[in-house]
Amino acid sequence: MDAQSRGRAEEIDPADQWVLNPRTGHYELQLNDSAARERPKVAAPRRSSSAPAAPTAPSPGVPGQRRGDAPPGGRRGGGRSRKGGGGGGRRKKALLITSGTLALLLVGGAAAAYLYYDHLNGNLSVTDIAGAGTGGFKKDQAINILVIGTDKRSGAGNEGYGDKDSVGHADTTILFHIAKDRSNATALSIPRDLITTIPDCPTKQPDGTTKTVRGAKGVRFNTSLGQEGRDAGCTMRTVKELTGIEVDNFMMVDFNAVKTLSTAVGGVPVCLEKDVDDEDSKLKLTKGEHKLEGEQALAFVRTRHAFGNESDLDRIKTQQQFLGSMMREMKSKETLTSPKKFFSLAEAATKSLTVDQGLGSIDKLTDLATELKDIDLKNITFTTLPVLDNPAEKVKATVVVNQGLADPLLQMIRGDVSLTEVEKKEQAAKEAADADAKAKQEALLQGNRAPAGDVRVSVYNGGGPKGAASTTLGWLQNSKGMSKASNQGNAPSKVDATQLEYAPNQADQARALADALGLPATALKVGTTDAAAKTPMKLTLGPDFQKPGTPLAPPVPQELPKDVQQAQADKAVCAK
């Protein structure tokens, strides 16, 4: 319907007048002449002249308060009113749909939100995580975002989902790893019933003080959030303890995210290989293709009795299929060229979202979106941390890590190795460059070695075991005769792997130290200018360092073990 058929100019909805400019990639307001004369200064889509209030800062240690109703020009994202998805106290708590790929979905909506800047900032809830993680993602490094789905029954319409008084758990947790070169991403699901160790967690309190919540051993992973007062920072710390991967930032959503995002995108296509009638989740669908939104979408991702062997692990697969479909829908032409969908997604995403301070504004979310926007869906891989039934249980209710499969998978993620095949041409060029670089690195080990007493090196701990710098110093001085080594404590920033930085005129010292520590050629980083006399080299111990005299962690595998579950975001799979 055009503007003239709507009536008077003041009744025109500017949201309908925003058009994608293919030259700039931005939406621009294009009113007809009469509308332009009546409303010459429309700066954002809205249905009235009232403007949203300025954002307020969140209270320390607790999620920030959301502000206001839906913006005048955006529609409130909500599911259709339907009964269902109930469950009594005997029912096991359902997984909340979310995944590492939800980072793309949520951020993708936020990236289109310049028009609602202040309003959308006010929608966000922000949690102070008391120093958990790296302090925030960096543009020139790999990015690790933890996306958490909580089963907290907050929000209108969610009271019937199980225990309405629950403080919530980390019921769905996905570690979303974005490659350093931004060519690919991996979404690692962590089962909620995994038995693990939760470390001590410094946690911000409402009065601004910090309280350390005691850790626990041999407990379910999902208790890393909510229980005993633990916040999302504790889940971040638990993931590092479990995987050896430090998280940069977190995003957290509840039940409403599924309903509002699926509705805002216009429904998510799914495919079923059989009829489904699940009394617990209230999901009732016939075999074939469907487009789900709101309550029905939530029922689909909550069901654990409809597909596979009715386990939590099979529900994770169903959720991954749903999220892949949602991503394809959001990347479709119909969504990308629809201003109304963009505005609805921005509203739904920000109202659903709790983040740490490092992502606590639209500017910061937009920066993250910029890092993610060019990743092809075929190069996004869903996978699940490999697990086994807990051997300590007669009645199987929990799982433990399958180290034989998990170790190489985690090594690949830590080593920034793609789990999916990137473009053939790009891959061939990368392999050629890698071979050339490897030859040059190996050449660094060829040549003279300096006497041990002439080796000057400053030792830093950049992610190795606690006390590694001190232990290594003693070992170099006492066991290897390198008396001019010194301990510099923690490095200014952490490294992905152990590295030795030196000047060209220190090459003989570097080779001697590499021999002593068993450093591979890839650990050597030679500079471009000579160093002054008595200047020490810089050895930074990374997460691959175990202890002096022990070889570094083995080379990172380049292929995923065949028994590790995986699925690509670009492929549609029918639930069965």
Side-chain angles (χ1 to χ4, degrees), residues 42-183:
V42 175
R46 56 187 64 189
R47 297 185 189 276
S48 73
S49 60
S50 59
T56 56
S59 301
V62 295
Q65 295 296 314
R66 302 185 190 278
R67 191 186 78 244
D69 296 325
R75 83 174 174 177
R76 185 186 302 274
R80 299 177 191 169
S81 176
R82 292 189 186 181
K83 292 184 179 181
R90 293 179 299 172
R91 294 189 188 131
K92 295 185 178 179
K93 292 176 181 168
L95 284 174
L96 166 66
I97 174 61
T98 182
S99 103
T101 56
L102 193 52
L104 277 177
L105 306 182
L106 294 171
V107 174
Y114 297 106
L115 306 174
Y116 296 144
Y117 182 84
D118 285 344
H119 176 84
L120 293 176
N121 269 327
N123 281 348
L124 292 170
S125 291
V126 182
T127 296
D128 186 334
I129 54 176
T134 65
F137 75 91
K138 297 176 177 60
K139 292 181 178 296
D140 59 346
Q141 296 182 16
I143 299 174
N144 293 300
I145 304 293
L146 193 67
V147 183
I148 305 169
T150 173
D151 62 349
K152 186 175 181 180
R153 273 70 174 168
S154 60
N158 294 325
E159 301 85 353
Y161 299 127
D163 181 5
K164 68 177 181 180
D165 298 319
S166 171
V167 294
H169 304 74
D171 253 20
T172 296
T173 305
I174 306 294
L175 179 61
F176 194 65
H177 172 85
I178 301 98
K180 181 177 180 179
D181 65 5
R182 308 299 187 252
S183 67

Side-chain angles (χ1 to χ4, degrees), residues 4-27:
Q4 293 180 352
S5 66
R6 299 257 185 126
R8 296 182 304 160
E10 60 266 29
E11 295 174 348
I12 297 172
D13 182 355
D16 294 334
Q17 308 300 315
W18 287 81
V19 178
L20 181 67
N21 186 331
R23 292 184 295 103
T24 65
H26 298 297
Y27 286 100

Side-chain angles (χ1 to χ4, degrees), residues 94 169 180 252 257 280 282 285 301 315 341 415 458 491 503-504 541 551:
H169 304 74
K180 181 177 180 179
M252 183 165 66
D280 286 347
K282 302 297 187 290
L285 294 171
V301 299
R315 177 158 50 185
K341 280 193 177 182
S458 296
L541 307 175

